[in-house]
Amino acid sequence: MDTVYVTGHRNPDMDSICSAWCYAALKNRIDSGHSYLPVRCGAMNAQTRYVFETLGIEPPQLVKDVYPKVADVAKRDVITLNITDPVYTAIKELDERTLSMIPVFQDMHEFKGIVSLHEISGFLMSDNLHTRPVYRFLTDNFKHVLPGYFYRIGREREFSAPIMIGAMPYEISVQRIRELGDVKPILIVGLREELISYAVENDFPAIVLTGLDEDKPVSVDFSSYRGSVFVSQTDTAETVRLLRLSAPLKDIINDNPVTVQSDENYETAKARLVNSDYRGLPVFEGEQFSGIVTRRCFIGKPQRSIILVDHNEIAQSVPGAEEARILEVVDHHRLGFERTREPISMKIEPVGSTCTIIFHEYRYHGVEVDKITATLLLGGILADTVMLKSPTTTDAERKAVEELGQLAEVEWMNWGKDLFIHSASIKNRKPRDVVESDFKEYYEGGVRFGIGQAEVVTLEDLPEARMELLEAISRTRLARGLDWVLLLISDVMKGESILLTSGFAAAEEKLIYTKNRENEFSLPGILSRKKQVLPEILRVVEELDLT
């Protein structure tokens, strides 16, 4: 099932986060074909944290971006092998399934490495070295690679040994065996009883008999033999070939392969794989194996699907939105939306809160608003309209808070006061957080500017924090490459604000606001950034002569 991310704007306020949570819940109720996940692209303010903690629910998941990730293309249902499986099995699976690589585990749960044609080739090429190769054998693997049966199973189930074929005369065979020194081989031999007896007497780790009729008895006494005897039902040459491939994978795997994380950027992982000698890489979530990616996984770049709530400008959205497939926009701000490649659903209403629009959507679709959802919607409306005091407030909000208060089983006025009491005091917050926690950037008339807003229950703390806030405003302007930065600090109880600025003389001398001192203006009766401050800033910018 495809996941659709429902996201508010950067530096999210309460309306942004509550609308994302509530709209995702609605979409999951009315559309069973997708999974809607509420996300946020910034830290929650104290007010929003208080609401979610009070309700005992998880807030939207924090995401850094919605760029395609490894998880979007990784193969999760993949074949795996055990370190004790024979090389033969790996070759067979790689060939028949046309695989790039196979993850290898111990006891099928602890990741140990990978096996691919590269490791297989290295194993087979080692046979061409000047010294006689020594292989590790697991007797349990004999029956997986060789047609035949055990005549007897010895005590030693795992051992390392060279392969010796008993095809020469007895004396020459013994001479060649003795040339191995203390190393005892695994003997592949027909029914040559004298040589078999020699192997038994010298306690070879295993004997593989070839060319033996099923009804023909072996007169050699194996009673004192501690090794295994396997009867191969194929010829000697094929027995040798297959026996080599019974070696366990643990001896040939790449136990330190390049890996990628599931949340790694798609392009970064693609570049890492393409610029390596690998044809596939294992994928991890932290330290837990979660799948693989191959070069074929990166042929077509995926797009994540998103719904924008409480904003419609890509510059204000989660990083990566410019590459995502935008399905819907639900917002109450001015339109600054860019051209799309295909038609999308847009729900734009001139109201005071996105939560108001989402409440309308619940009513339109006939979906019941439960207590938790009602509480979140109510909180978003009260926070964004400053308890209905903001000039952005419409009759839609006034009607909605009455209904939602009943559904949430709270008196909306008391609930609103409780919300703002839990807003952190300016002097107890980091200056940068005050400036940037609810910050929006704009570009108009050749001017790049940003306006932050902090809502408080008193302005008495401002003089103490003023200089640090101005320094933070200046740092934000430089860090973001802006021409002008403003911070609106609103006293929601008295319905008035103070505007601090980074300084932009040509523009600030045109403002209609009363200037208290350098970089500070008084805004009595003003609470709304969107409806009161932004229009004035846009007017000033339009009047600037920047030529």
Side-chain angles (χ1 to χ4, degrees):
M1 185 181 296
D2 292 337
T3 297
V4 178
Y5 298 89
V6 184
T7 178
H9 50 73
R10 301 185 192 188
N11 308 311
D13 55 14
M14 189 164 172
D15 187 40
S16 176
I17 291 180
C18 290
S19 59
W21 193 99
C22 295
Y23 197 56
L26 172 63
K27 297 294 288 187
N28 282 321
R29 294 276 296 277
I30 64 177
D31 180 9
S32 60
H34 299 84
S35 174
Y36 293 87
L37 179 67
V39 298
R40 55 188 171 92
C41 48
M44 295 187 296
N45 58 34
Q47 189 181 67
T48 308
R49 284 198 305 272
Y50 168 72
V51 172
F52 279 90
E53 289 172 1
T54 299
L55 294 174
I57 58 174
E58 287 294 322
Q61 176 183 329
L62 177 64
V63 296
K64 295 179 180 178
D65 58 67
V66 290
Y67 289 112
K69 298 291 192 295
V70 169
D72 297 324
V73 296
K75 299 178 180 179
R76 299 186 182 277
D77 185 19
V78 297
I79 183 172
T80 61
L81 295 175
N82 197 286
I83 57 172
T84 59
D85 287 332
V87 173
Y88 173 85
T89 301
I91 295 175
K92 187 172 182 290
E93 294 291 353
L94 288 167
D95 178 55
E96 293 181 356
R97 299 175 185 262
T98 61
L99 302 175
S100 299
M101 50 84 78
I102 301 175
V104 181
F105 291 76
Q106 181 172 339
D107 301 326
M108 302 313 292
H109 69 272
E110 182 183 353
F111 179 81
K112 285 297 184 180
I114 63 171
V115 62
S116 66
L117 292 179
H118 179 77
E119 287 73 37
I120 300 292
S121 299
F123 170 73
L124 297 177
M125 289 177 63
S126 66
D127 286 0
N128 297 322
L129 300 176
H130 298 298
T131 58
R132 182 187 293 270
V134 175
Y135 303 96
R136 188 195 301 269
F137 293 102
L138 298 179
T139 54
D140 287 344
N141 282 349
F142 289 4
K143 60 181 179 294
H144 296 305
V145 301
L146 288 169
Y149 57 92
F150 277 104
Y151 191 84
R152 67 176 288 124
I153 298 178
R155 299 176 184 175
E156 196 172 8
R157 309 297 284 271
E158 179 176 345
F159 57 88
S160 297
I163 295 175
M164 178 68 72
I165 301 173
M168 295 174 288
Y170 175 78
E171 291 78 8
I172 297 178
S173 294
V174 170
Q175 178 184 343
R176 294 293 174 85
I177 292 170
R178 288 173 176 170
E179 289 174 357
L180 297 175
D182 295 332
V183 178
K184 297 178 180 179
I186 179 172
L187 179 65
I188 301 176
V189 64
L191 194 56
R192 300 181 61 192
E193 296 181 357
E194 187 177 11
L195 190 53
I196 296 171
S197 295
Y198 179 85
V200 170
E201 292 169 4
N202 286 275
D203 206 24
F204 283 17
I207 302 169
V208 179
L209 303 177
T210 61
L212 183 66
D213 294 333
E214 290 189 22
D215 57 352
K216 188 171 184 180
V218 179
S219 57
V220 176
D221 181 10
F222 290 109
S223 60
S224 62
Y225 182 49
R226 295 183 297 178
S228 296
V229 179
F230 187 86
V231 178
S232 172
Q233 295 176 328
T234 187
D235 60 75
T236 300
E238 185 68 357
T239 297
V240 173
R241 185 183 74 85
L242 294 175
L243 191 62
R244 289 162 46 208
L245 301 181
S246 73
L249 286 174
K250 61 183 176 182
D251 282 350
I252 74 164
I253 61 171
N254 179 350
D255 59 4
N256 188 29
V258 175
T259 65
V260 293
Q261 288 290 320
S262 62
D263 61 353
E264 192 169 331
N265 183 275
Y266 171 93
E267 294 291 353
T268 303
K270 178 182 178 180
R272 185 182 305 179
L273 179 56
V274 170
N275 294 324
S276 74
D277 294 330
Y278 297 100
R279 300 197 62 81
L281 300 176
V283 179
F284 284 78
E285 291 182 8
E287 297 183 358
Q288 184 69 37
F289 174 84
S290 64
I292 66 170
V293 286
T294 66
R295 297 193 175 206
R296 280 173 286 185
C297 294
F298 294 98
I299 292 176
K301 187 175 183 178
Q303 273 187 308
R304 289 192 166 183
S305 298
I306 63 174
I307 293 176
L308 309 185
V309 297
D310 201 34
H311 70 297
N312 64 78
E313 297 184 50
I314 297 300
Q316 295 178 1
S317 195
V318 59
E322 70 279 6
E323 295 185 11
R325 180 170 175 248
I326 299 175
L327 304 181
E328 297 182 41
V329 175
V330 184
D331 193 21
H332 68 122
H333 296 94
R334 67 171 191 151
L335 279 175
F337 198 65
E338 300 178 14
R339 181 181 301 173
T340 61
R341 295 183 179 179
E342 55 190 40
I344 68 171
S345 172
M346 297 192 72
K347 302 177 181 68
I348 310 293
E349 294 184 28
V351 293
S353 166
T354 300
C355 281
T356 304
I357 305 173
I358 291 171
F359 180 48
H360 293 167
E361 288 296 300
Y362 271 85
R363 289 292 189 240
Y364 175 80
H365 290 283
V367 176
E368 178 184 358
V369 180
D370 58 41
K371 183 177 179 179
I372 288 178
T373 304
T375 305
L376 290 174
L377 290 173
L378 180 60
I381 293 173
L382 293 176
D384 230 34
T385 63
V386 195
M387 293 177 59
L388 306 185
K389 295 178 182 179
S390 170
T392 61
T393 306
T394 69
D395 288 339
E397 276 77 44
R398 297 183 184 95
K399 182 179 178 181
V401 296
E402 295 291 347
E403 291 186 51
L404 290 169
Q406 293 178 15
L407 293 169
E409 300 177 10
V410 297
E411 203 290 310
W412 71 262
M413 180 67 75
N414 293 334
W415 176 235
K417 290 179 180 178
D418 196 27
L419 291 181
F420 283 100
I421 287 173
H422 283 85
S423 298
S425 169
I426 283 182
K427 67 178 182 180
N428 294 330
R429 298 171 61 188
K430 294 180 179 179
R432 178 182 174 182
D433 291 343
V434 176
V435 176
E436 299 185 3
S437 63
D438 184 6
F439 188 84
K440 293 187 178 181
E441 295 183 23
Y442 306 89
Y443 179 71
E444 294 288 342
V447 178
R448 297 185 183 278
F449 63 95
I451 307 175
Q453 183 167 18
E455 293 169 341
V456 297
V457 293
T458 177
L459 290 171
E460 292 179 0
D461 297 334
L462 181 56
E464 184 179 344
R466 182 178 182 277
M467 290 308 299
E468 289 186 345
L469 288 174
L470 288 173
E471 291 173 1
I473 288 171
S474 179
R475 287 193 294 269
T476 296
R477 185 185 69 81
L478 293 172
R480 298 185 179 230
L482 301 175
D483 301 305
W484 195 15
V485 171
L486 307 98
L487 174 62
L488 183 68
I489 305 173
S490 302
D491 184 332
V492 298
M493 295 304 176
K494 292 185 177 180
E496 60 184 17
S497 299
I498 293 294
L499 185 67
L500 300 181
T501 76
S502 62
F504 189 15
E508 292 182 9
E509 66 182 14
K510 297 179 180 292
L511 290 173
I512 62 173
Y513 307 131
T514 301
K515 188 171 183 178
N516 295 337
R517 63 180 100 174
E518 196 67 23
N519 304 114
E520 180 180 319
F521 295 83
S522 177
L523 283 66
I526 289 181
L527 293 174
S528 173
R529 169 178 51 193
K530 178 182 74 172
K531 200 163 185 176
Q532 294 173 301
V533 176
L534 180 59
E536 170 63 7
I537 301 302
L538 293 176
R539 179 194 66 79
V540 168
V541 168
E542 288 176 1
E543 293 181 4
L544 290 176
D545 183 8
L546 300 177
T547 58

